[in-house]
Amino acid sequence: KKLFSDQGILSEREMDARIDIELENYTMRIQIEARVAGDLAQNHIIPTAFTYQNSLIENVRGLQSILPKKEAEKACVTQLKLIRDISHHVEQMKTKVDEMIEERKKANVISDVKKKAFAYCDKVNPYLTEIKYHSDKLELLIDDELWPMPKLRELLFTK
C-alpha cells in the first residue's frame, strides 16, 4: 500500500475499495456456484437417480418372481449393489447440499466483506467438492439415457 500511495498510483482508500470489490466478486461467484450446484443436485440429479433406482428395483422384483429363489439371489447381486450405491451417493449428496445451504445462510448475514468472503471460502466452498464427488459417482452409475446433462466423457470428445 505504501509503495502505491507514495508513487501516487492509488490512494489507500482506492486500494481498500478495489480489495472490497474483488472480495465481493469472489463471494458472488461462490454464491452462484453453490446455488447452481444445489439446484442441479436436488432438481435434476437426485430425481434421475431415483428413477434409475426404481427401474433396478422393478428388475429385481421381476427376476425374483420368475426365477427360483437361489437363482434369483445370484442374478440380482449386481442390481442390489447398484441400488445400495445409488442410495449412498444420493443420501450423501442431499446431506451435503442441506449443510451447504445452512452455511450459506450463516455467511449471508455477515456484513463485513472480508469476513463474508472468508466464510464462503472456508465454510461453503468445500461442500462444492463433496457434492461434485457424489454427482460424479452417480453419473457413472446411472444409465446414459436417463442422465439429464452431458456426461463428462461426452464433453471431452465433443468436436
Side-chain angles (χ1 to χ4, degrees):
K1 282 185 173 181
K2 184 172 177 4
L3 174 68
F4 277 83
S5 61
D6 287 350
Q7 296 298 318
I9 298 170
L10 292 171
S11 70
E12 202 165 316
R13 186 173 179 202
E14 289 171 322
M15 285 183 270
D16 289 341
R18 284 177 178 243
I19 290 169
D20 285 353
I21 289 168
E22 289 301 321
L23 290 171
E24 286 175 355
N25 284 338
Y26 172 80
T27 300
M28 193 181 320
R29 284 188 192 118
I30 300 300
Q31 201 173 47
I32 291 167
E33 189 174 344
R35 285 181 183 156
V36 170
D39 175 62
L40 287 173
Q42 294 185 112
N43 297 317
H44 300 281
I45 296 169
I46 291 173
T48 300
F50 288 153
T51 299
Y52 186 58
Q53 193 175 45
N54 285 335
S55 71
L56 291 171
I57 291 167
E58 287 303 311
N59 180 263
V60 168
R61 284 187 185 136
L63 289 170
Q64 289 173 338
S65 70
I66 63 170
L67 296 174
K69 185 175 177 155
K70 287 279 189 195
E71 202 175 325
E73 285 176 10
K74 188 176 179 182
C76 296
V77 170
T78 302
Q79 294 90 322
L80 292 172
K81 181 171 179 358
L82 280 169
I83 291 167
R84 284 187 201 96
D85 289 348
I86 290 169
S87 290
H88 167 74
H89 292 297
V90 165
E91 186 272 328
Q92 286 296 305
M93 179 181 277
K94 178 65 174 142
T95 299
K96 299 303 178 192
V97 167
D98 290 345
E99 291 171 359
M100 180 185 67
I101 289 169
E102 288 306 310
E103 289 299 332
R104 277 186 36 231
K105 287 178 183 177
K106 290 177 193 174
N108 285 337
V109 297
I110 299 171
S111 58
D112 181 83
V113 175
K114 186 174 182 180
K115 288 179 182 176
K116 187 174 190 173
F118 275 94
Y120 265 91
C121 179
D122 297 337
K123 303 290 184 177
V124 177
N125 195 34
Y127 284 107
L128 295 173
T129 304
E130 295 180 50
I131 292 166
K132 182 170 181 345
Y133 171 80
H134 294 289
S135 174
D136 290 347
K137 292 298 181 182
L138 287 169
E139 179 180 332
L140 295 172
L141 296 174
I142 294 173
D143 183 9
D144 288 355
E145 296 299 317
L146 294 176
W147 194 252
M149 297 160 284
K151 291 197 171 189
L152 183 58
R153 66 172 154 49
E154 295 168 350
L155 291 174
L156 290 173
F157 300 107
T158 300
K159 290 184 179 182

